[in-house]
Amino acid sequence: MITVRPQKNLAAAKSYFREHLGQGDYYSEQQNVAGRWFGRGAERLGLDLAAPVREEDFLRLCDNQHPATGEKLTARQLRERRVFYDFVISPFKDVSIMAEVIGDTRIHAAHDEACKETNGELERAAAARVRRGGQRSSRTTGEIVAASFRHHTSRSLDPQLHTHLVVFNATWDPVEKAWRALEPEQMFAQCRYLTEVYRNALARKLIALGYRLRATPEGMKIDGVSEDLIQRFSKRRRAILSAEAELVVRLGKKLTNNGRAAVAHATRERKRRDLGSKELMAHQRAQMSATELAALTLLVPGARSIRTHPVPVTAPTAEEVVRQACAHIFERLSVAEEHEILTGALRFARGAFTPGDLRVALLAKPDLLWKDGKATTAEARTAEKRLIDLVNASIGSCPPLHRAFPADRTLSNEQRQVVDTLLGSTDGVVGLRGGAGTGKTFTLREVARGIEARGKSVQMLAPTGGAVEVLRNDGFHQTETVQRFLVDPGFQERARGQVLIVDEAGLLSVKQLLAVIEAGQRHGCRIILCGDARQHTSVEAGDALRILQTRSHLQTARLNQIRRQVGAEYRQAIAEIADGHSQRALTRLEKLGAVEVIEGGQRHQRLATDYSASLKAGKSALIVAPTWREIEEVTVEVRAALKAEGQLRERDADVEVHVSKRWTKAEKRDLRGYQCGQVLTFHEATRDFQRGEWARVITVERDGLRVKKPGGEEVTLTRKQSGCYDVADAERLPVARGERLLLQASRREAKLLNGQLVTVKSARRDGQITLTDGRVIPPDFRQFTHGYCVTSPAAQGKTADHVYVAVDARSGLAANLKQFYVSASRGREKVKIYTDDLERLREALGRTGDRLSALELLPKSELQETPAPRVRLRPG
């Protein structure tokens, strides 16, 4: 795999070379590691890629100096300047065992070649930071200055083959013709792709050496290296886990990632300098029996055995692998970067093809349209065009719903104008854009009252069960999910001639919204689409509402006046974010004292203390973060703070929960990805399962899965049923009295709805949980998690007195303007943002978070709008 860590401290960067990179970590000091330069940027500086890395050159680059002349490289010399980025490339442990313990040094060359191939792909993503003229952007350069060092051992003297690629913070900008600071965002974003490049390259080379490989969920591994042996040579990992477990018991809480890092640092063993390579191999072999050593020695192939182990073909051709990858990627994206598709293809290929092979097959795929390194499908383009055409065709085709309706006088002028626009429209499909906290629900009540006053019925539709419940509580009793409408022909027939109001329409994919409009028009329904394209969109492909608002003739009434926020400055900041003035809004929030910049674990502890204080003061509170990693870290600290305050019972019940892997249909069809113990929960009924039932995987077979129901009944599933269930890992979740939980699925008979936040009254040993409102989570419903800190999509539609936003420098592309808008706008009285890097947060707010549509990728010549036709709908 590939991990990366930035180095900011200059002194630490220099000592890192002397104490770690430049010599074998755990061998005698005489065994120095001969690093090698890498990259077009290194060549541009005159560094010899074939010669060992000299300490003098390395240290000058650390000082941001030209290695030959000593002149300053990049213009900016900030105090907190990042010196370099340390990318670490590691194979699976079985490879390290065969290379280091058994001594097959051919694997070193295979690893080096795989690293070189991976480094080349990483260099393609290199970019320069552009900061001239107020810009905050980047420009692809494809040049890095890097030094590569191969190491072989862990601090516990276990075999651990790995390579450090130290990428210096400088790249040559061909436009400005100067050295600029490196913008590593795309390099970070492509770490998954680079990991697959490395694993596939290494697998191909191991196969060429004659090794027999086996497919695992993680990738290809050497067949015959036992899991017991892998664990035996993972002492460093075991030591960390043991120390973590001991600390968890002592503290009574899980550890955050920062806490785990502290444990890892505290448990690091002293580097040993008294062992040579022969002594080290003897030390490692002494931990194995003679039988184990002999068995592993037999795995090393001879020259003639290469022919007996052909390449394991996981798909008939590269074209087939690319087709599978496209099905995987384009289920959730209308437009994808080349590296995103190749990541999927490499995962499915399992060592059978090079990135070059797959690129050729990808570019030859006839139904893909390419522009600027991005691709879309003919199917996506057709669906988007049909969606637009249906909306355009409905313009002027209907009588007004209720022109001159006497709306409630308590409405504002803006709200009254929206009511008049929607009720007076003659279009079959019309839109309402209600920004966060603008009183959309209050306005919709008047729209519904006006429709019903003319004898028509209103059917509300919402994307989730939780959203349905909110609308019902707001008085829209005739509300159902969009999915129920789409799969139930009887429901559609009963809605004939009615007005469909689709709430949170921005959360619908192109496929879903197209299906709603097609079904609605077949049954003579008028349609009102309510939503805000500036907020989150669907998980599936296509930002449907934004496409209609920007590409079609959809008439859209707008609510802009924000009403949710009590304070004028807070309200103004949200208005600025909504208008796209994110930097101005962030500055306003800083002046308001709503931004805390705190590095390290103290940040989340401070957040937890503030959150606890809000609850103690009787205020409703919500924490929002962009990634599940940060949610987990925040939750640990929040639970500890609540227990300290007595708001959460000290004693936990340890219950099993099912954490969805969020696999696509293509991933679910690939049986190599399954593991015993995983849980399959059925969202569609089959011959053997009812909707909502689940079973545990007990055997992964060649053509199917053997699963066991909670009652003990065993069933065999084939790929045909893969579209009927969700795949999850079974994990343990501590639950105490007073616990806040987020439901992640629905169970209608128990009145449990996806997206709801609930509070625990008691938890039994069998897993049954009683809630404070009297509802019961039964033992066979396991789809929930802690609900203190949630993602911004889960927060959309929710409101709290106080909202806290956690966003750190590691959030990557998950942090953007859309995410920040939804997160910060949830509060009535106050918002507080906690970050460790204000500069990175400002950069994140420069990204809109919008996904390109298929039509946006087309050349302008193919985007000519046609006049909106005037076609009347058939009367209902």
Side-chain angles (χ1 to χ4, degrees):
M1 66 178 296
I2 295 178
T3 60
V4 58
R5 183 174 67 90
Q7 176 58 263
K8 294 182 181 180
N9 187 289
L10 180 59
K14 292 181 175 181
S15 63
Y16 189 57
F17 176 86
R18 297 188 181 107
E19 299 177 10
H20 182 69
L21 294 175
Q23 56 184 302
D25 290 339
Y26 317 103
Y27 302 151
S28 64
E29 294 185 10
Q30 289 73 30
Q31 298 193 33
N32 292 333
V33 172
R36 290 291 186 270
W37 293 110
F38 179 88
R40 296 184 181 90
E43 288 185 289
R44 186 181 293 276
L45 290 173
L47 295 167
D48 187 349
L49 304 193
V53 173
R54 296 192 312 159
E55 181 176 353
E56 178 185 355
D57 295 335
F58 189 95
L59 297 185
R60 274 192 166 179
L61 284 167
C62 286
D63 284 322
N64 191 31
Q65 296 175 354
H66 193 293
T69 67
E71 296 177 353
K72 187 169 68 172
L73 273 186
T74 64
R76 301 181 76 191
Q77 187 74 35
L78 302 177
R79 180 179 299 178
E80 291 297 317
R81 176 183 177 274
R82 287 172 172 82
V83 182
F84 58 65
Y85 302 91
D86 184 15
F87 289 83
V88 183
I89 308 174
S90 310
F92 294 121
K93 180 65 75 173
D94 55 288
V95 174
S96 293
I97 290 172
M98 296 305 298
E100 310 305 328
V101 182
I102 304 305
D104 188 354
T105 56
R106 298 176 306 164
I107 293 177
H108 294 161
H111 167 77
D112 290 345
E113 291 169 11
C115 286
K116 187 175 181 180
E117 184 174 319
T118 305
N119 297 343
E121 292 294 313
L122 180 143
E123 186 171 40
R124 288 163 58 99
R129 303 181 80 183
V130 179
R131 295 295 183 267
R132 287 182 177 270
Q135 292 186 69
R136 304 185 69 86
S137 60
S138 62
R139 181 183 297 119
T140 300
T141 62
E143 288 196 15
I144 62 174
V145 181
S148 177
F149 302 85
R150 190 217 308 152
H151 290 175
H152 303 260
T153 317
S154 74
R155 286 178 177 264
S156 298
L157 302 182
D158 287 329
Q160 185 176 314
L161 177 63
H162 61 284
T163 291
H164 292 265
L165 184 73
V166 175
V167 181
F168 287 94
N169 188 15
T171 187
W172 178 259
D173 186 338
V175 175
E176 297 185 16
K177 299 190 182 306
W179 289 96
R180 295 289 178 234
L182 189 69
E183 174 49 73
E185 185 175 280
Q186 273 302 310
M187 298 165 75
F188 292 170
Q190 293 189 27
C191 273
R192 288 179 60 195
Y193 166 62
L194 297 170
T195 294
E196 295 302 330
V197 170
Y198 169 74
R199 287 176 175 173
N200 276 265
L202 184 60
R204 292 196 314 273
K205 296 178 191 309
L206 291 175
I207 290 167
L209 291 176
Y211 279 98
R212 185 186 296 276
L213 305 185
R214 59 187 172 88
T216 72
E218 298 83 20
M220 305 296 288
K221 295 184 178 180
I222 296 175
D223 196 16
V225 182
S226 71
E227 187 62 32
D228 176 68
L229 200 57
I230 288 172
Q231 293 303 317
R232 195 181 312 164
F233 283 119
S234 301
K235 288 187 286 297
R236 171 86 175 122
R237 176 65 178 158
R238 294 205 312 275
I240 293 173
L241 291 176
S242 177
E244 285 181 2
E246 183 179 337
L247 197 57
V248 165
V249 171
R250 184 147 48 91
L251 297 179
K253 65 176 185 178
K254 289 174 61 179
L255 299 182
T256 65
N257 283 351
N258 288 332
R260 294 188 188 103
V263 169
H265 182 78
T267 56
R268 290 201 308 177
E269 300 176 30
R270 181 180 61 85
K271 293 184 178 182
R272 294 189 58 179
R273 304 297 189 191
D274 59 339
L275 290 178
S277 56
K278 291 182 180 179
E279 290 86 355
L280 182 62
M281 179 181 287
H283 170 77
Q284 293 168 344
R285 288 189 171 191
Q287 300 172 55
M288 301 170 57
S289 68
T291 302
E292 289 173 325
L293 186 58
L296 286 188
T297 302
L298 288 175
L299 296 181
V300 180
R304 294 185 180 181
S305 65
I306 295 176
R307 296 182 180 178
T308 66
H309 302 301
V311 174
V313 179
T314 57
T317 62
E319 288 73 19
E320 189 68 28
V321 171
V322 164
R323 192 177 306 124
Q324 191 177 10
C326 287
H328 163 63
I329 293 296
F330 289 113
E331 180 177 324
R332 293 177 181 168
L333 293 173
S334 295
V335 175
E337 299 273 0
E338 180 194 68
H339 74 83
E340 292 174 309
I341 307 173
L342 289 176
T343 300
L346 288 167
R347 284 182 57 205
F348 292 127
R350 303 293 176 101
F353 304 103
T354 68
D357 296 333
L358 297 173
R359 274 198 182 93
V360 170
L362 185 58
L363 294 174
K365 200 169 188 299
D367 61 336
L368 293 185
L369 175 70
W370 289 90
K371 184 180 179 183
D372 299 332
K374 300 179 180 66
T376 188
T377 67
E379 182 182 3
R381 181 177 54 183
T382 300
E384 289 178 8
K385 189 173 185 306
R386 176 159 174 75
L387 179 66
I388 291 170
D389 288 346
L390 286 177
V391 170
N392 287 348
S394 76
I395 292 174
S397 63
C398 307
L401 287 168
H402 193 163
R403 184 167 286 164
F405 170 68
D408 192 318
R409 292 185 177 181
T410 61
L411 265 64
S412 68
N413 290 335
E414 182 186 59
Q415 290 172 325
R416 190 176 295 110
Q417 184 177 356
V418 166
V419 172
D420 290 344
T421 298
L422 296 180
L423 295 181
S425 175
T426 60
D427 299 345
V429 183
V430 67
L432 166 59
R433 190 180 86 170
T438 55
K440 180 193 64 176
T441 302
F442 182 51
T443 306
L444 277 178
R445 285 201 202 98
E446 282 303 290
V447 172
R449 198 166 67 87
I451 293 170
E452 290 166 349
R454 276 294 176 92
K456 278 186 173 291
S457 298
V458 173
Q459 175 63 61
M460 296 287 293
L461 300 176
T464 65
V468 167
E469 186 69 11
V470 170
L471 286 170
R472 287 177 178 172
N473 291 337
D474 285 335
F476 296 99
H477 303 295
Q478 195 169 332
T479 305
E480 290 292 346
T481 62
V482 169
Q483 186 63 18
R484 168 97 188 275
F485 175 77
L486 292 179
V487 302
D488 188 345
F491 183 10
Q492 295 177 16
E493 186 58 41
R494 291 191 296 274
R496 180 176 291 279
Q498 296 183 3
V499 177
L500 303 178
I501 299 182
V502 184
D503 194 36
E504 296 287 0
L507 292 175
L508 300 185
S509 66
V510 167
K511 181 180 178 181
Q512 290 170 319
L513 187 52
L514 178 58
V516 168
I517 292 176
E518 287 177 333
Q521 291 188 348
R522 281 198 308 270
H523 293 84
C525 298
R526 301 282 291 276
I527 301 171
I528 299 175
L529 303 177
C530 304
D532 186 0
R534 297 168 297 185
Q535 298 187 53
H536 283 298
T537 54
S538 67
V539 174
E540 292 185 9
D543 298 356
L545 187 61
R546 186 178 64 83
I547 291 170
L548 289 180
Q549 289 178 350
T550 58
R551 314 291 295 182
S552 77
H553 298 290
L554 177 74
Q555 182 184 20
T556 302
R558 288 174 170 80
L559 287 172
N560 297 315
Q561 186 178 349
I562 298 173
R563 301 171 181 279
R564 176 180 295 157
Q565 283 73 43
V566 175
E569 286 297 297
Y570 181 15
R571 186 165 59 248
Q572 181 60 29
I574 298 304
E576 288 170 342
I577 298 172
D579 290 338
H581 304 306
S582 58
Q583 305 302 326
R584 189 189 307 169
L586 188 57
T587 299
R588 186 180 300 277
L589 290 171
E590 284 184 83
K591 292 179 180 178
L592 196 61
V595 180
E596 290 271 5
V597 182
I598 307 173
E599 293 190 4
Q602 298 299 317
R603 180 175 69 262
H604 294 152
Q605 292 173 11
R606 174 67 176 274
L607 188 160
T609 300
D610 291 348
Y611 174 84
S612 176
S614 293
L615 298 184
K616 199 171 182 180
K619 300 294 185 179
S620 60
L622 182 68
I623 309 171
V624 191
T627 64
W628 281 104
R629 171 194 52 76
E630 190 153 13
I631 286 172
E632 179 185 341
E633 293 180 2
V634 170
T635 297
V636 169
E637 298 298 340
V638 167
R639 295 188 80 247
L642 294 179
K643 286 189 175 186
E645 291 288 338
Q647 298 181 60
L648 194 63
R649 186 178 179 181
E650 187 66 28
R651 185 178 178 184
D652 292 328
D654 196 29
V655 302
E656 180 178 290
V657 293
H658 300 160
V659 182
S660 174
K661 298 187 75 66
R662 298 177 176 85
W663 279 358
T664 62
K665 294 174 184 176
E667 287 177 303
K668 287 188 284 187
R669 287 183 59 83
D670 185 4
L671 298 179
R672 299 167 302 175
Y674 290 85
Q675 289 181 304
C676 295
Q678 288 177 331
V679 174
L680 312 182
T681 302
F682 285 76
H683 49 74
E684 290 183 25
T686 67
R687 182 187 64 184
D688 299 301
F689 290 90
Q690 296 298 315
R691 189 173 181 271
E693 285 190 312
W694 58 270
R696 208 178 301 273
V697 177
I698 56 174
T699 308
V700 181
E701 300 170 349
R702 181 174 180 178
D703 297 316
L705 303 170
R706 190 72 178 168
V707 301
K708 180 185 287 187
K709 294 184 177 183
E713 180 186 356
E714 294 188 10
V715 177
T716 297
L717 301 174
T718 67
R719 288 184 178 87
K720 291 181 179 180
Q721 285 89 46
S722 62
C724 301
Y725 56 73
D726 180 59
V727 184
D729 289 326
E731 297 182 3
R732 308 303 297 184
L733 188 78
V735 175
R737 186 175 63 195
E739 199 83 70
R740 195 180 197 187
L741 301 177
L742 172 69
L743 303 184
Q744 296 177 304
S746 296
R747 178 71 66 87
R748 287 187 174 273
E749 58 270 28
K751 298 181 180 179
L752 304 173
L753 297 174
N754 185 19
Q756 283 185 326
L757 290 170
V758 299
T759 304
V760 174
K761 180 179 180 181
S762 63
R764 295 193 333 199
R765 289 183 178 179
D766 66 356
Q768 179 173 300
I769 298 173
T770 302
L771 306 178
T772 53
D773 59 12
R775 289 179 294 167
V776 173
I777 298 178
D780 64 339
F781 183 87
R782 301 291 88 186
Q783 292 160 291
F784 54 85
T785 188
H786 290 134
Y788 307 103
C789 184
V790 300
T791 61
S792 51
Q796 188 162 315
K798 293 179 172 57
T799 302
D801 295 326
H802 299 169
V803 63
Y804 300 100
V805 183
V807 53
D808 66 20
R810 295 176 294 163
S811 296
L813 297 178
N816 52 54
L817 180 60
K818 195 182 292 284
Q819 180 271 335
F820 191 72
Y821 175 42
V822 173
S823 302
S825 63
R826 299 304 97 197
R828 294 188 191 91
E829 299 176 9
K830 79 169 186 177
V831 62
K832 198 73 171 287
I833 296 115
Y834 303 79
T835 184
D836 61 343
D837 193 330
L838 189 58
E839 176 71 11
R840 284 289 173 184
L841 177 58
R842 289 192 179 279
E843 291 175 2
L845 298 187
R847 299 188 295 266
T848 65
D850 289 335
R851 301 180 296 187
L852 274 178
S853 71
L855 292 178
E856 286 170 332
L857 194 67
L858 292 174
K860 290 184 178 180
S861 60
E862 298 182 42
L863 296 177
Q864 297 299 321
E865 298 283 5
T866 55
R870 305 280 174 169
V871 181
R872 298 189 71 85
L873 294 177
R874 279 188 236 167

